[in-house]
Amino acid sequence: MTRSARFASLFAATFFFLAGAPALAQDSAQDIDCGECHAAADVGYTSTAHPDVACIECHTNVTPAHKDADLEPLTDEESCGECHGSILRSAGRSVHKGEAGCNDCHGAPHAIHEIDDLASAVSPINQIQQCGACHDDPPELVDGYLTSEHGKALLLAGLVNAPSCSDCHGDHRIMTADSSRAPTEHYNSPEMCGTCHQILFEEWKEQSAHGLAWQDEKEGPVCVDCHSSHQVRDPSTYDARHAGAQNCGGCHEEYLNTFQFSFHGQALHLGLSEGATCADCHTPHKNLAADNPASSVHPDNRMETCGNCHEGITASFASFDPHSDPTDPDYNFAVYVIWFFMTSLLIGVFAFFGIHDLLWLQRSLVGTLRGEFKEERQNASGQWVRRFRRSNMRMHVVIITTFLVLALTGLPLKFSTAPWAQFLVNVLGGIESTRFLHRVAAIGTFGYLIAHVLEVMYRSFVKGEKGMFWGPNSMTPQPKDVADFFGNLRYFLYLGER
């Protein structure tokens, strides 16, 4: 045999030996009968993800003569890496590197199921429990999701395509929430939300000031700023609507202040769920500057916008300025004058009668203790003069009742942010009953005004009575009324007779 022939024979033998070695090793491994020592019931192998995987393919450190004491715990690379190498490399670049292994998420090795199997530890319905085992601080991460619209859709309604943890954060290559490569990062989050809310995302991106700013990479609110991340609420509920104004006010503080003291803001704050909030006028995803012709609050579009809540409106009605500041004389002087007059009238009336009643009360108590009224009681059987006719007495009952009801139901709205306002509204039965009572009292007020005018006209022009506009029968204050006022004041202050 020549040298070249011997070399060829040696090469062929070596090749066939090396090629056959793995097969021999595999045959040797497959010769291990695990069932001789490990009964199937004890192993509890229920995996649907690895139904045809042999024991040795994961337990790579097992030999025919192994003993439990000789086996070291297997790493993810040793047990899972042979088949899932690319996934392991992705996980090695994630925030979970060195913190969580395959089985920490996917469950016990013998009970790993397909991802879309509802029994899987990482199925949508089990993710919240699996992830929450580690990510439970702060509690709002888990508790917020459970009570969110996403959580209720998944866990209560059973919609398995509702977003769970991995839909937003990813699966194996998870980054910290604020990482520039994380889908949950502030700038990236709109595209993350847009994977499900595609129509709203396109509308927001192309037709809102916020979306246009986002495209230009300018600072501005995105989905999670308004809807939050884990505690996503139904935007049509009262709590969400009330919080929405506060969210907008985080950036538009000057408009929040004027909104809070407008009728819309006051009524909403006191519990009127259908009270207009920012999104009702400016729209949630198409909000544009007021001078933009496409804006819902542009003068050309206000009739339609206001008409969504108010039927049969006019152009004059739609010209209402919901963000007017009545306390600023430079903004609208006429409105400022009206506000100043009404506020002064309100404070003045309550201050005057409050002080008057307190002075009267203390003087009456002192007079009683001194026995100043004994003589009047002793002569109580004497002659009495009726000051008012029966119709006047009825009128006074209506006046007092309607005034008190208007005050009780109107003051909470005027001072809606005061700590007692909400309590008083609750005592009155809620905002709806408060509104109803206020309207009834207002009708009563206009009713007795009209009744009084008609009575004066009838008695003056039909019956020919004198002194209906000036004199003892008139409601016009007389000089004697002024003298009696100062006389009462001297009496209250112990400076004169009763």
Side-chain angles (χ1 to χ4, degrees):
M1 183 179 293
T2 64
R3 177 179 295 180
S4 58
R6 286 197 302 272
F7 178 78
S9 300
L10 180 61
F11 176 79
T14 303
F15 174 79
F16 286 112
F17 173 78
L18 292 176
L24 293 173
Q26 185 175 5
D27 291 340
S28 176
Q30 295 298 338
D31 289 341
I32 302 175
D33 186 359
C34 301
E36 291 183 3
C37 301
H38 306 284
D42 296 333
V43 173
Y45 192 83
T46 59
S47 172
T48 59
H50 306 134
D52 301 322
V53 174
C55 305
I56 190 62
E57 293 185 58
C58 296
H59 297 277
T60 55
N61 58 348
V62 171
T63 63
H66 79 280
K67 294 180 180 179
D68 290 344
D70 299 333
L71 299 178
E72 293 291 332
L74 289 170
T75 64
D76 289 339
E77 288 76 9
E78 293 171 328
S79 57
C80 306
E82 184 67 27
C83 299
H84 306 290
S86 62
I87 292 177
L88 273 178
R89 287 191 292 274
S90 295
R93 302 186 187 99
S94 76
V95 71
H96 287 152
K97 180 182 179 180
E99 300 292 336
C102 304
N103 299 133
D104 293 313
C105 299
H106 291 275
H110 291 168
I112 295 177
H113 297 278
E114 292 281 358
I115 298 174
D116 56 359
D117 188 333
L118 293 182
S120 171
V122 292
S123 71
I125 61 172
N126 290 327
Q127 278 186 32
I128 186 64
Q129 181 178 1
Q130 200 73 355
C131 300
C134 297
H135 302 283
D136 58 351
D137 186 26
E140 290 78 13
L141 291 177
V142 176
D143 295 342
Y145 175 82
L146 289 175
T147 56
S148 72
E149 290 305 300
H150 292 160
K152 288 189 289 187
L154 177 65
L155 303 174
L156 294 182
L159 300 175
V160 293
N161 59 339
S164 190
C165 308
S166 61
D167 292 295
C168 299
H169 294 276
D171 42 28
H172 294 101
R173 197 170 182 177
I174 298 176
M175 303 295 173
T176 55
D178 56 355
S179 170
S180 61
R181 293 180 294 171
T184 53
E185 191 268 337
H186 190 265
Y187 181 77
N188 298 334
S189 59
E191 292 181 319
M192 172 193 70
C193 300
T195 57
C196 295
H197 305 282
Q198 296 178 19
I199 297 176
L200 293 179
F201 172 63
E202 291 298 327
E203 183 179 274
W204 173 83
K205 183 176 71 171
E206 301 294 342
Q207 302 181 53
S208 78
H210 298 157
L212 295 172
W214 175 75
Q215 290 191 73
D216 293 337
E217 299 186 11
K218 295 179 180 178
E219 184 178 356
V222 297
C223 312
V224 293
D225 292 305
C226 301
H227 298 279
S228 79
S229 51
H230 293 93
Q231 296 172 297
V232 179
R233 298 284 181 260
D234 178 355
S236 64
T237 62
Y238 170 75
D239 289 340
R241 289 170 57 78
H242 187 260
Q246 304 300 317
N247 286 339
C248 297
C251 297
H252 306 285
E253 185 176 358
E254 70 281 10
Y255 291 109
L256 175 62
N257 292 332
T258 54
F259 168 78
Q260 287 179 327
F261 293 102
S262 70
F263 175 77
H264 291 157
Q266 291 169 327
L268 180 71
H269 184 74
L270 293 176
L272 185 65
S273 59
E274 64 267 28
T277 187
C278 309
D280 293 306
C281 300
H282 297 274
T283 75
H285 300 112
K286 293 183 180 180
N287 41 2
L288 296 167
D291 58 357
N292 189 314
S295 171
S296 58
V297 293
H298 186 273
D300 294 342
N301 302 322
R302 285 184 186 173
M303 288 279 288
E304 180 182 353
T305 300
C306 298
N308 291 329
C309 298
H310 305 281
E311 296 180 0
I313 64 171
T314 62
S316 177
F317 182 94
S319 66
F320 166 72
D321 184 358
H323 290 290
S324 174
D325 183 1
T327 64
D328 184 2
D330 296 329
Y331 189 89
N332 189 321
F333 186 73
V335 172
Y336 169 76
V337 171
I338 296 172
W339 169 83
F340 184 82
F341 171 75
M342 294 301 296
T343 304
S344 300
L345 179 64
L346 177 66
I347 296 174
V349 167
F350 277 90
F352 175 81
F353 284 103
I355 295 172
H356 177 271
D357 290 352
L358 288 174
L359 289 174
W360 195 347
L361 176 63
Q362 60 86 27
R363 188 64 182 89
S364 298
L365 292 175
V366 172
T368 301
L369 294 175
R370 288 179 175 180
E372 296 177 0
F373 311 124
K374 288 182 178 180
E375 184 178 349
E376 289 185 5
R377 286 195 294 270
Q378 292 171 356
N379 298 328
S381 60
Q383 185 177 6
W384 292 82
V385 177
R386 174 175 286 180
R387 299 178 60 188
F388 296 116
R389 299 189 307 175
R390 195 174 299 277
S391 61
N392 297 133
M393 289 188 287
R394 294 194 187 101
M395 184 77 75
H396 273 74
V397 171
V398 175
I399 292 172
I400 293 170
T401 302
T402 54
F403 174 81
L404 291 177
V405 173
L406 285 173
L408 283 173
T409 55
L411 287 175
L413 187 67
K414 171 69 175 176
F415 304 101
S416 59
T417 58
W420 49 266
Q422 188 65 63
F423 171 77
L424 185 54
V425 168
N426 293 340
V427 170
L428 294 170
I431 186 65
E432 291 295 346
S433 63
T434 302
R435 296 172 68 198
F436 175 77
L437 292 173
H438 194 80
R439 284 162 171 75
V440 170
I443 293 172
T445 300
F446 282 100
Y448 72 69
L449 170 63
I450 295 172
H452 176 70
V453 171
L454 292 176
E455 181 188 15
V456 170
M457 295 300 178
Y458 174 77
R459 292 174 62 185
S460 178
F461 298 110
V462 177
K463 298 182 67 175
E465 295 186 21
K466 303 298 182 181
M468 295 303 299
F469 298 99
W470 183 268
N473 291 328
S474 170
M475 292 293 292
T476 307
Q478 303 295 301
K480 181 67 166 58
D481 295 322
V482 178
D484 288 344
F485 168 74
F486 285 105
N488 273 337
L489 188 60
R490 286 193 297 271
Y491 169 72
F492 292 156
L493 298 176
Y494 309 94
L495 299 176
E497 295 295 327
R498 183 165 181 251

